[in-house]
Short mmCIF file of all heavy atoms in Angstrom, two decimals:
data_model
loop_
_atom_site.label_atom_id
_atom_site.label_comp_id
_atom_site.label_asym_id
_atom_site.label_seq_id
_atom_site.Cartn_x
_atom_site.Cartn_y
_atom_site.Cartn_z
N TYR B 60 -11.18 10.94 23.67
CA TYR B 60 -10.14 10.20 22.96
C TYR B 60 -9.00 11.16 22.66
O TYR B 60 -9.23 12.27 22.19
CB TYR B 60 -10.71 9.62 21.67
CG TYR B 60 -9.74 8.81 20.85
CD1 TYR B 60 -9.22 7.62 21.33
CD2 TYR B 60 -9.38 9.22 19.57
CE1 TYR B 60 -8.34 6.88 20.57
CE2 TYR B 60 -8.51 8.48 18.80
CZ TYR B 60 -7.99 7.30 19.30
OH TYR B 60 -7.13 6.56 18.55
N PHE B 61 -7.78 10.70 22.90
CA PHE B 61 -6.60 11.56 22.75
C PHE B 61 -5.52 10.79 22.02
O PHE B 61 -5.36 9.58 22.20
CB PHE B 61 -6.09 12.01 24.12
CG PHE B 61 -7.12 12.68 24.96
CD1 PHE B 61 -7.95 11.93 25.78
CD2 PHE B 61 -7.29 14.05 24.92
CE1 PHE B 61 -8.93 12.54 26.55
CE2 PHE B 61 -8.26 14.68 25.69
CZ PHE B 61 -9.08 13.91 26.50
N ILE B 62 -4.77 11.53 21.21
CA ILE B 62 -3.69 10.91 20.44
C ILE B 62 -2.43 11.75 20.57
O ILE B 62 -2.51 12.98 20.61
CB ILE B 62 -4.06 10.80 18.94
CG1 ILE B 62 -5.40 10.11 18.73
CG2 ILE B 62 -2.98 10.05 18.18
CD1 ILE B 62 -5.82 10.04 17.27
N TRP B 63 -1.30 11.09 20.57
CA TRP B 63 -0.01 11.77 20.44
C TRP B 63 0.56 11.45 19.06
O TRP B 63 0.59 10.30 18.64
CB TRP B 63 0.97 11.30 21.52
CG TRP B 63 0.76 11.96 22.84
CD1 TRP B 63 0.12 11.44 23.94
CD2 TRP B 63 1.21 13.27 23.23
NE1 TRP B 63 0.15 12.34 24.98
CE2 TRP B 63 0.81 13.48 24.57
CE3 TRP B 63 1.91 14.29 22.58
CZ2 TRP B 63 1.09 14.64 25.26
CZ3 TRP B 63 2.19 15.46 23.28
CH2 TRP B 63 1.78 15.63 24.60
N TYR B 64 1.02 12.53 18.40
CA TYR B 64 1.67 12.38 17.11
C TYR B 64 3.09 12.92 17.19
O TYR B 64 3.38 13.85 17.93
CB TYR B 64 0.92 13.18 16.02
CG TYR B 64 -0.31 12.51 15.49
CD1 TYR B 64 -1.55 12.75 16.06
CD2 TYR B 64 -0.24 11.64 14.41
CE1 TYR B 64 -2.69 12.15 15.56
CE2 TYR B 64 -1.38 11.03 13.90
CZ TYR B 64 -2.60 11.29 14.48
OH TYR B 64 -3.73 10.69 13.99
N LYS B 65 3.94 12.33 16.36
CA LYS B 65 5.33 12.78 16.20
C LYS B 65 5.49 13.30 14.79
O LYS B 65 5.04 12.65 13.84
CB LYS B 65 6.28 11.61 16.45
CG LYS B 65 7.74 11.89 16.15
CD LYS B 65 8.55 10.60 16.29
CE LYS B 65 10.02 10.83 15.99
NZ LYS B 65 10.80 9.58 16.05
N GLN B 66 6.10 14.46 14.65
CA GLN B 66 6.33 15.00 13.32
C GLN B 66 7.80 15.35 13.15
O GLN B 66 8.32 16.25 13.82
CB GLN B 66 5.47 16.23 13.06
CG GLN B 66 5.56 16.73 11.61
CD GLN B 66 4.63 17.90 11.33
OE1 GLN B 66 4.25 18.64 12.22
NE2 GLN B 66 4.25 18.06 10.08
N GLU B 67 8.44 14.64 12.25
CA GLU B 67 9.83 14.93 11.92
C GLU B 67 9.87 16.00 10.83
O GLU B 67 8.90 16.18 10.09
CB GLU B 67 10.54 13.67 11.47
CG GLU B 67 10.62 12.62 12.58
CD GLU B 67 11.21 11.32 12.11
OE1 GLU B 67 12.44 11.16 12.14
OE2 GLU B 67 10.43 10.45 11.69
N SER B 68 10.98 16.66 10.75
CA SER B 68 11.11 17.80 9.83
C SER B 68 10.79 17.38 8.39
O SER B 68 11.33 16.41 7.88
CB SER B 68 12.54 18.34 9.91
OG SER B 68 12.69 19.44 9.04
N GLY B 69 9.88 18.12 7.77
CA GLY B 69 9.55 17.87 6.38
C GLY B 69 8.62 16.70 6.14
O GLY B 69 8.39 16.31 4.98
N LYS B 70 8.06 16.14 7.21
CA LYS B 70 7.19 14.98 7.06
C LYS B 70 5.83 15.25 7.69
O LYS B 70 5.66 16.19 8.47
CB LYS B 70 7.82 13.75 7.70
CG LYS B 70 9.12 13.31 7.05
CD LYS B 70 9.64 12.04 7.70
CE LYS B 70 10.93 11.58 7.06
NZ LYS B 70 11.46 10.34 7.69
N GLY B 71 4.88 14.38 7.38
CA GLY B 71 3.58 14.46 8.00
C GLY B 71 3.60 13.86 9.39
O GLY B 71 4.52 13.11 9.74
N PRO B 72 2.61 14.18 10.23
CA PRO B 72 2.55 13.60 11.58
C PRO B 72 2.43 12.07 11.52
O PRO B 72 1.81 11.52 10.62
CB PRO B 72 1.29 14.23 12.16
CG PRO B 72 1.07 15.47 11.37
CD PRO B 72 1.55 15.14 9.99
N GLN B 73 3.02 11.45 12.52
CA GLN B 73 2.99 9.99 12.61
C GLN B 73 2.43 9.60 13.96
O GLN B 73 2.86 10.11 15.00
CB GLN B 73 4.42 9.46 12.43
CG GLN B 73 4.53 7.96 12.44
CD GLN B 73 5.97 7.51 12.25
OE1 GLN B 73 6.89 8.31 12.37
NE2 GLN B 73 6.17 6.25 11.95
N PHE B 74 1.47 8.71 13.96
CA PHE B 74 0.84 8.24 15.19
C PHE B 74 1.85 7.60 16.14
O PHE B 74 2.70 6.82 15.73
CB PHE B 74 -0.24 7.22 14.81
CG PHE B 74 -0.90 6.54 15.97
CD1 PHE B 74 -2.04 7.07 16.54
CD2 PHE B 74 -0.40 5.34 16.46
CE1 PHE B 74 -2.67 6.43 17.59
CE2 PHE B 74 -1.02 4.70 17.51
CZ PHE B 74 -2.16 5.24 18.07
N ILE B 75 1.75 7.96 17.43
CA ILE B 75 2.60 7.32 18.43
C ILE B 75 1.76 6.41 19.32
O ILE B 75 2.02 5.21 19.43
CB ILE B 75 3.31 8.36 19.32
CG1 ILE B 75 4.14 9.33 18.49
CG2 ILE B 75 4.18 7.67 20.37
CD1 ILE B 75 4.71 10.45 19.33
N ILE B 76 0.79 7.00 19.97
CA ILE B 76 -0.01 6.25 20.94
C ILE B 76 -1.30 7.01 21.18
O ILE B 76 -1.37 8.23 21.00
CB ILE B 76 0.78 6.06 22.26
CG1 ILE B 76 0.09 5.04 23.17
CG2 ILE B 76 0.99 7.39 22.98
CD1 ILE B 76 0.95 4.58 24.34
#
Side-chain angles (χ1 to χ4, degrees):
Chain B
Y60 181 65
F61 305 88
I62 307 178
W63 279 101
Y64 281 91
K65 172 186 180 183
Q66 187 176 25
E67 296 175 88
S68 181
K70 296 183 180 180
Q73 183 179 14
F74 174 91
I75 303 173
I76 192 168

